[in-house]
Amino acid sequence: MKAYLKPFILLSACFFAENVWITLFPHLVFSDSYLYIPHFLVVCIVLSASYYDKSVTYAFAALFGLLFDLFYTQVIGVYLFTFFIAAYFTVKLMKVLQHHLVVIGFVTCLMVGIVDILAYFLDGLLFGYSMQLEEYAQLRLWSTIVINLCFYIVVCYPFRRWFVITKRQFIEETGRR
Amino acid sequence: MPSFFLNKRLLMLLIGIIILVALLGFSLRDRENTTVPEQFLKDIVGFGQSIFSRPANGVAGFFEDVQDLRNTYEENGRLKAQLEELAQLKADVYDLKQDNDKLREMLDIQDNLRDYTHIQATVIARNPARLQDLVVINKGQVHGVETDMAVRSSKGLIGKVVSTSQLTSTVELVSTRNPENRISALIQSEDRIFGLIEGYDDKSDRLLLKRIPYDVEVKEGELVETSGLGGIFPAGLPIGEVEKVEADPLGLTQTAYIIPAADLYDLEHVMVVERSMVSPDIPEATPEEVEQ
């Protein structure tokens, strides 16, 4: 039970942290120039997929994607899908890559980019595009990846520690590897 | 061909995409109200969110206060000048209100589009991805919030309620890209000019007031408010002021660019406005009538 509760707490914290970010720095998210969109959940999902159990990560990626959709948008499915895709790709990538914090940092950048691009396209299909692709790439994509990489650098050590310790408990509890 | 269906990964992907499309379709239908499980999840998340949002708002408020302190002196001078005018304005408004009430009594008019009651609420969350302009407030069905109610800040209209759960509601801001979001508006000039707020210009952060007849002259700086004719909002909520007017390509109507009165980016305390006057509904048949 503990083994499921601990990642849940961590992901919840990231979920709420995204909104705290907006409250503290509204001018970073709602400006006419660069947009710094927080995707802290994706960062946490990538770390969880790298250092924790994959099936638990899939379940939580889907769950938090669903919660995100329910709470912030009127459309269910967009983030559910993109978070799950991010978790899936990370698990597949980590099978061939080295488990090193720098490598996972690159993977994080990639996943944040994938999630943001997918969300942009899906949203555009449903409601019409808010900005042209070129403008999107210039003003939103790079800055979003950079800000989430900063978040990753801040949290990667404590999160890794947390996940590695919890993973041991998880193996003791379930016997799965 | 059988090997294709035996490929587990491809099959999973197909099923995933089908589920995605099904969910999107389900939620894009025009839903009167969200389902009970959705409401339940929303309320739980909302509860957690409000615990976090209060301290965050406090910290953000503190930094704003520090910013404000820096230009207090100039502001003070300006405000003093405004205060003197305000006393006169207050007296005038009081006189007019008394006058208005008396005249209404004489004519025996009961209904008024301008009457409304409001519910105080706090913004607890905003879509961080910024793809749709939605905010979540901490009042829901329990407090009497219903869909389609107007929401305003102290300065002016900010949007309308699009979905409610028991303890939270979702508000769509006027800056949304949703083409179905239209507000019947009125320009306060010599002759009252009506139009519809349709859409928002992201580049310049202006609301677009469309369908103004081609032969009326709209001046810059004129104030725009809700007209109450849409049947949803009460009349007289300030929307903003006219910045410039352009003729439409077809030349039959004009479009005015409106500077929103409310700050749409720095939202904390808002009011949900409930119109007192009921729109005419088709009365439902009573059981006795049905029997006849």
Side-chain angles (χ1 to χ4, degrees), chain B residues 3-68:
Chain B
S3 63
F4 173 79
F5 286 109
L6 288 176
N7 189 339
K8 212 172 97 187
R9 212 169 288 170
L10 257 179
L11 208 61
M12 288 296 281
L13 183 71
L14 277 177
I15 290 170
I17 286 176
I18 288 168
I19 289 173
L20 168 74
V21 171
L23 279 171
L24 290 180
F26 167 73
S27 47
L28 281 175
R29 275 188 305 130
D30 239 352
R31 291 189 292 170
E32 195 56 32
N33 233 330
T34 41
T35 54
V36 175
E38 277 178 79
Q39 288 189 17
F40 179 69
L41 283 173
K42 242 178 148 173
D43 281 340
I44 289 178
V45 178
F47 175 74
Q49 194 66 263
S50 52
I51 291 172
F52 280 82
S53 74
R54 232 158 251 165
N57 269 327
V59 174
F62 172 76
F63 282 110
E64 266 168 42
D65 291 346
V66 173
Q67 290 261 322
D68 286 348

Side-chain angles (χ1 to χ4, degrees), chain B residues 4-290:
Chain B
F4 173 79
F5 286 109
L6 288 176
N7 189 339
K8 212 172 97 187
R9 212 169 288 170
L10 257 179
L11 208 61
M12 288 296 281
L13 183 71
L14 277 177
I15 290 170
I17 286 176
I18 288 168
I19 289 173
L20 168 74
V21 171
L23 279 171
L24 290 180
F26 167 73
S27 47
L28 281 175
R29 275 188 305 130
D30 239 352
R31 291 189 292 170
E32 195 56 32
N33 233 330
T34 41
T35 54
V36 175
E38 277 178 79
Q39 288 189 17
F40 179 69
L41 283 173
K42 242 178 148 173
D43 281 340
I44 289 178
V45 178
F47 175 74
Q49 194 66 263
S50 52
I51 291 172
F52 280 82
S53 74
R54 232 158 251 165
N57 269 327
V59 174
F62 172 76
F63 282 110
E64 266 168 42
D65 291 346
V66 173
Q67 290 261 322
D68 286 348
L69 272 177
R70 286 170 51 195
N71 39 31
T72 306
Y73 182 76
E74 296 161 34
E75 212 169 23
N76 199 359
R78 266 212 314 277
L79 290 174
K80 268 184 182 154
Q82 273 184 6
L83 263 180
E84 284 162 17
E85 291 166 27
L86 205 65
Q88 182 61 44
L89 196 67
K90 215 170 163 180
D92 287 350
V93 169
Y94 183 75
D95 277 351
L96 288 170
K97 200 168 155 42
Q98 290 285 342
D99 210 22
N100 193 328
D101 285 347
K102 258 195 228 114
L103 292 170
R104 273 178 186 280
E105 234 166 83
M106 275 155 75
L107 289 169
D108 201 21
I109 299 174
Q110 302 293 345
D111 283 341
N112 187 353
L113 279 176
R114 288 175 184 278
D115 286 347
Y116 56 82
T117 51
H118 53 242
I119 304 159
Q120 192 72 36
T122 309
V123 173
I124 52 171
R126 186 167 186 169
N127 186 347
R130 215 208 134 164
L131 287 166
Q132 297 148 350
D133 255 339
L134 298 167
V135 297
V136 183
I137 56 172
N138 66 346
K139 292 283 157 79
Q141 289 169 17
V142 176
H143 312 93
V145 178
E146 289 166 23
T147 43
D148 277 344
M149 282 182 180
V151 181
R152 62 169 298 180
S153 67
S154 53
K155 291 175 188 158
L157 184 78
I158 57 168
K160 74 170 185 191
V161 177
V162 284
S163 79
T164 55
S165 63
Q166 294 301 317
L167 303 171
T168 59
S169 322
T170 309
V171 177
E172 187 170 50
L173 300 184
V174 282
S175 57
T176 177
R177 282 175 293 125
N178 182 357
E180 287 171 15
N181 192 336
R182 297 195 187 126
I183 304 158
S184 174
L186 152 75
I187 302 175
Q188 292 178 324
S189 56
E190 292 291 309
D191 38 1
R192 292 151 52 97
I193 303 163
F194 292 94
L196 286 174
I197 300 270
E198 286 180 28
Y200 185 75
D201 185 24
D202 272 326
K203 291 271 175 302
S204 58
D205 289 337
R206 299 288 179 262
L207 291 163
L208 304 176
L209 179 59
K210 295 186 176 173
R211 315 201 182 205
I212 305 169
Y214 68 95
D215 52 357
V216 294
E217 195 198 339
V218 180
K219 294 185 198 72
E220 279 173 35
E222 282 180 336
L223 294 179
V224 181
E225 58 175 32
T226 53
S227 68
L229 299 179
I232 294 173
F233 293 174
L237 297 178
I239 296 176
E241 61 174 70
V242 180
E243 187 191 32
K244 61 176 184 203
V245 187
E246 283 177 1
D248 271 5
L250 295 173
L252 297 172
T253 54
Q254 309 177 63
T255 297
Y257 286 75
I258 314 283
I259 306 167
D263 183 355
L264 296 173
Y265 294 132
D266 192 10
L267 295 167
E268 193 181 346
H269 298 294
V270 296
M271 284 173 277
V272 183
V273 176
E274 183 179 9
R275 186 161 119 164
S276 308
M277 194 179 124
V278 183
S279 303
D281 272 337
I282 300 160
E284 286 186 27
T286 53
E288 294 99 51
E289 283 173 353
V290 173

Side-chain angles (χ1 to χ4, degrees), chain A residues 140-161:
Chain A
R140 185 174 153 157
L141 190 58
W142 297 118
S143 46
T144 297
I145 288 174
V146 165
I147 205 74
N148 285 290
L149 183 64
C150 293
F151 178 77
Y152 170 82
I153 290 166
V154 171
V155 302
C156 63
Y157 274 105
F159 275 26
R160 180 178 67 168
R161 223 187 123 73

